[in-house]
Amino acid sequence: QITNNNNIVQYGKDVPEKVNVVSAGLIYDDSQFDFYNGDSHFTMSLQNYNSGIVTRNRWGATLSIACEGKYSELSFVLGHIDNTGSSTKKLTVYYLDSDGIYKEERTVTMDKDFPVQLITVPIHNTKTVKITTNTNDSDTQYGLADVYLIK
């Protein structure tokens, strides 16, 4: 196992303790999001982040994360993107249960004054996590920085 900054490269069958979702390419169904993987950055509360996911200026969006049943938690830093709209937006995390049904695990309601904070969500060693967002305008953006699956 080789450690490189925030990313863990694995060889063989060992599952890393945590893996960066963006750099590992585990995201799919993601057309309404922008991704950052070190080449550029986004800003939340005047702090730059170069790894993460930003909602585009859309009414709502969904993305999925392939977890392969190997991880128990999803963690990310959540916040309002500086210099974007001020409407309220909801972010909901779902996990796919053993019966093939998506179960809501956590919903966070955010507005422009939402403090940047670390969010940790239990995902029950699921195969797939789904994250949805919605808003009542198209100018408000939120970011998920440093998105990790944790064993």
Side-chain angles (χ1 to χ4, degrees):
Q1 179 167 302
I2 300 171
T3 302
N4 178 4
N5 293 332
N6 292 328
N7 307 321
I8 296 176
V9 179
Q10 71 181 58
Y11 292 94
K13 296 182 180 180
D14 291 338
V15 176
E17 289 299 315
K18 71 178 188 176
V19 63
N20 185 301
V21 170
V22 175
S23 62
L26 299 175
I27 299 170
Y28 60 100
D29 295 338
D30 58 10
S31 64
Q32 302 299 317
F33 296 87
D34 292 320
F35 298 93
Y36 294 80
N37 193 17
D39 297 333
S40 59
H41 68 271
F42 57 97
T43 306
M44 300 185 299
S45 295
L46 302 177
Q47 177 152 352
N48 292 334
Y49 295 89
N50 63 6
S51 175
I53 304 164
V54 173
T55 60
R56 289 188 185 153
N57 292 336
R58 301 286 190 265
W59 296 102
T62 299
L63 68 79
S64 298
I65 301 170
C67 304
E68 301 175 359
K70 297 178 182 175
Y71 299 96
S72 64
E73 293 180 329
L74 174 70
S75 76
F76 50 90
V77 176
L78 182 63
H80 178 261
I81 300 297
D82 293 356
N83 302 313
T84 67
S86 60
S87 290
T88 300
K89 184 173 268 195
K90 286 187 180 181
L91 178 136
T92 304
V93 177
Y94 301 87
Y95 69 95
L96 187 65
D97 74 5
S98 59
D99 294 326
I101 298 169
Y102 281 101
K103 301 280 185 161
E104 181 178 329
E105 183 59 41
R106 176 119 187 235
T107 297
V108 180
T109 302
M110 306 164 290
D111 62 20
K112 69 177 179 59
D113 297 320
F114 182 82
V116 172
Q117 59 187 273
L118 177 65
I119 304 289
T120 302
V121 180
I123 58 170
H124 311 281
N125 295 87
T126 186
K127 291 184 178 181
T128 305
V129 167
K130 182 167 62 171
I131 297 175
T132 63
T133 64
N134 68 358
T135 186
N136 58 3
D137 82 15
S138 61
D139 295 326
T140 304
Q141 291 181 288
Y142 290 89
L144 292 78
D146 303 329
V147 184
Y148 287 98
L149 290 171
I150 301 169
K151 192 172 178 179

